[in-house]
């Protein structure tokens, strides 16, 4: 964390309104990106991001400069998104997707150069919600299994098994998408 | 492709991903923040007012309590004490005074040998006790005093042998400087 950020955070801690707006402008694109990743719609993402910012300003005094501020913000958005979904009772953790398990041949055939970001994003969002959430937390946002277990209220082993299944399901989905594209082509 | 490679591929794709939020999101957030802070300040002010009111109520309640008023009056910290409280306090203090007076009187009456007329001076606090209060304590004290004013009468009433024996014994034990006036009863045996 650079000294400019440290000064900005210190001013925010003292309740300086202009500094709060400056902090928001600096980090809101990152926060909104994370919120969109964990939400079903842009409208939900806006609600999640706003709730997360309220928490940021409320608990900013408890933040220590020794930690990563971006990591702290990311964690707040993710927790807010999960709370949001728990409230809406939309998430389902334990959908059985054994039928989409990838075979060794599929994994060998997987070639990353065939897929762009939108396609991978689409494939992740096509996963069952529980698997998609564990995959995003672990692979994209860098959470550890213990942290995922605490955040989602699941066992560490459940987190590990869901991640494994999510990876395989994602690769199968991407291969199917590639096959469909080839047929169309 | 290994799982590690796949993870790195996906991670690299989404690293430092940013999405610009809607333009009105900033104003909406800070309006909400201002409302919340205003409400928090109002709640704090109301809480402070409630604490002050409770403090004043308790203070008034304590001041109205006669016992506390009497206790507080000793240190001088409380200037205003209700008149009812003062009357009640005086009454409660007068009760042990009566007991203190009656106790030595009774012992003096029992040991008539150490009786001296100077001790017969009536206690002004006891005598001046108003009889209109509905007790006969002062009357009883005056009766005791009358009895003490006629010691001979009391001694006459004692058994003759005991009085003579006691008086003789005490005359022997008396120091030389003092002059003792002792009543004597002579009994002649056949």
């Amino acid at each position: 964390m650079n000294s400019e950020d440290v000064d900005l955070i210190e001013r925010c801690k003292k309740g300086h309104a202009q500094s709060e707006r400056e902090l928001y402008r600096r980090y809101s694109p990152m926060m909104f990106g994370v919120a969109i990743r964990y939400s079903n719609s842009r409208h939900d993402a806006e609600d999640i991001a706003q709730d997360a910012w309220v928490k940021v300003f409320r608990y900013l005094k408890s933040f220590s400069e020794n930690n990563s501020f971006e990591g702290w913000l990311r964690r707040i958005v993710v927790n807010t998104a999960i709370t949001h979904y728990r409230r809406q009772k939309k998430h389902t953790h334990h959908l059985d997707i054994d039928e989409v398990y990838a075979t060794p041949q599929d994994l060998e055939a997987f070639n990353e150069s065939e897929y762009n970001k939108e396609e991978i994003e689409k494939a992740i969002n096509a996963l069952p919600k529980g698997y998609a959430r564990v995959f995003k937390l672990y692979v994209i946002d860098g959470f550890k299994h213990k942290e995922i277990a605490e955040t989602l209220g699941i066992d560490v082993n459940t987190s590990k098994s869901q991640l494994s299944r999510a990876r395989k399901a994602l690769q199968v989905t991407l291969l199917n998408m590639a096959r469909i594209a080839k047929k169309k082509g | 492709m290994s799982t590690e490679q796949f993870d790195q591929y996906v991670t690299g794709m989404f690293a430092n991903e940013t999405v610009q939020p809607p333009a009105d999101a900033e104003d909406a957030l800070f309006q909400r923040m201002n409302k919340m802070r205003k409400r928090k300040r109002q709640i704090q002010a109301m809480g402070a007012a409630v604490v002050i009111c409770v403090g004043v109520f308790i203070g008034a309640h304590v001041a109205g309590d006669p016992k506390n008023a009497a206790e507080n009056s000793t240190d001088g910290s409380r200037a205003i004490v209700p008149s009812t409280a003062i009357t009640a306090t005086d009454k409660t203090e007068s009760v042990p005074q009566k007991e203190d007076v009656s106790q030595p009187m009774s012992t003096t009456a029992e040991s008539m040998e150490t009786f001296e007329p100077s001790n017969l001076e009536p206690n002004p606090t006891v005598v001046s006790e108003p009889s209109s209060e509905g007790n006969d304590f002062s009357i009883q004290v005056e009766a005791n005093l009358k009895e003490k004013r006629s010691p001979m009468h009391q001694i006459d009433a004692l058994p003759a042998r005991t009085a003579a024996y006691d008086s003789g014994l005490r005359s022997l034990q008396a120091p030389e400087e003092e002059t003792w006036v002792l009543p004597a009863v002579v009994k002649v045996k056949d």
Side-chain angles (χ1 to χ4, degrees):
Chain A
M1 194 162 53
N2 58 39
S3 61
E4 200 181 336
D5 275 359
V6 172
D7 290 344
L8 186 61
I9 290 164
E10 278 304 311
R11 286 200 301 274
C12 290
K13 281 181 181 180
K14 288 172 186 170
H16 194 257
Q18 199 57 40
S19 300
E20 286 180 346
R21 283 187 178 265
E22 198 180 329
L23 191 78
Y24 174 85
R25 285 173 198 148
R26 192 172 292 185
Y27 287 101
S28 62
M30 182 275 290
M31 294 268 281
F32 195 63
V34 177
I36 277 189
R37 200 182 302 144
Y38 289 91
S39 60
N40 287 331
S41 65
R42 197 176 168 87
H43 180 75
D44 279 356
E46 287 175 21
D47 289 346
I48 290 165
Q50 195 182 82
D51 287 350
W53 273 110
V54 169
K55 285 181 189 174
V56 166
F57 288 123
R58 186 183 293 169
Y59 298 110
L60 192 61
K61 283 180 182 173
S62 68
F63 172 73
S64 170
E65 281 79 11
N66 300 326
N67 301 322
S68 161
F69 186 62
E70 200 173 313
W72 187 69
L73 293 178
R74 195 179 286 270
R75 211 164 292 268
I76 286 177
V77 185
V78 169
N79 284 329
T80 307
I82 287 162
T83 306
H84 187 83
Y85 278 99
R86 280 196 183 135
R87 212 177 289 155
Q88 291 187 341
K89 294 181 181 177
K90 281 183 178 175
H91 69 290
T92 48
H93 280 301
H94 300 286
L95 286 181
D96 190 6
I97 57 162
D98 285 346
E99 66 275 13
V100 293
Y101 265 15
T103 61
Q105 290 79 14
D106 289 332
L107 295 171
E108 281 172 14
F110 182 77
N111 183 3
E112 70 263 29
S113 61
E114 294 178 26
Y115 310 102
N116 59 29
K117 189 184 169 187
E118 283 71 32
E119 285 171 330
I120 290 185
E121 205 169 1
K122 195 177 174 184
I124 293 169
N125 290 331
L127 291 172
K129 291 275 184 262
Y131 291 179
R133 206 160 294 148
V134 172
F135 182 82
K136 288 174 189 173
L137 286 168
Y138 188 88
V139 177
I140 299 172
D141 290 312
F143 280 55
K144 306 292 177 202
H145 280 297
K146 193 183 172 188
E147 293 169 329
I148 294 169
E150 285 171 1
T151 305
L152 297 179
I154 58 174
D155 192 70
V156 173
N157 290 326
T158 308
S159 172
K160 287 177 182 174
S161 67
Q162 287 198 350
L163 176 67
S164 175
R165 290 178 181 190
R167 275 192 194 117
K168 289 170 185 173
L170 189 60
Q171 289 170 354
V172 168
T173 307
L174 288 168
L175 285 171
N176 289 337
M177 286 168 65
R179 281 174 195 154
I180 292 165
K182 275 180 185 174
K183 279 180 186 175
K184 281 183 181 175
Chain B
M1 186 183 206
S2 68
T3 52
E4 286 78 20
Q5 285 175 324
F6 179 73
D7 284 357
Q8 282 176 2
Y9 172 66
V10 176
T11 306
M13 204 169 262
F14 289 93
N16 301 319
E17 185 193 33
T18 57
V19 179
Q20 201 61 36
D24 60 342
E26 185 180 336
D27 289 335
L29 170 70
F30 285 100
Q31 276 179 8
R32 182 181 164 186
M33 294 274 294
N34 288 338
K35 278 183 185 175
M36 285 172 67
R37 282 170 180 167
K38 196 175 175 183
R39 199 181 305 156
K40 190 182 173 184
R41 266 183 250 120
Q42 283 175 344
I43 289 168
Q44 282 176 341
M46 281 173 66
V50 167
V51 168
I52 290 167
C53 287
V54 168
V56 168
F57 177 77
I58 290 170
H61 189 70
V62 168
D65 191 356
K67 276 187 179 178
N68 290 326
E71 285 169 6
N72 291 331
S73 63
T74 55
D75 60 357
S77 61
R78 204 168 289 276
I80 301 165
V81 178
S83 58
T84 52
I86 295 165
T87 313
T89 311
D90 287 347
K91 282 180 181 175
T92 51
E93 282 176 355
S94 67
V95 172
Q97 196 178 12
K98 288 173 187 174
E99 287 171 1
D100 290 344
V101 171
S102 63
Q103 195 67 20
M105 285 297 183
S106 60
T107 50
T108 313
E110 282 170 9
S111 58
M112 290 306 294
E113 297 78 23
T114 56
F115 180 81
E116 289 212 358
S118 60
N119 292 336
L120 292 174
E121 288 298 318
N123 190 346
T125 56
V126 177
V127 175
S128 63
E129 186 86 14
S131 60
S132 61
E133 283 193 11
N135 58 43
D136 54 353
F137 181 76
S138 59
I139 298 165
Q140 188 185 346
V141 169
E142 279 192 284
N144 286 339
L145 287 172
K146 279 177 185 173
E147 285 176 2
K148 286 168 190 173
R149 281 183 192 124
S150 58
M152 295 304 290
H153 174 74
Q154 290 286 327
I155 291 165
D156 286 345
L158 288 171
R161 185 188 278 180
T162 311
Y165 177 78
D166 286 345
S167 62
L169 191 66
R170 286 182 189 281
S171 64
L172 290 170
Q173 289 172 349
E176 292 176 4
E177 297 82 31
E178 289 182 45
T179 306
W180 286 63
V181 180
L182 298 170
V185 178
V186 179
K187 251 191 171 182
V188 180
K189 285 187 178 179
D190 291 333

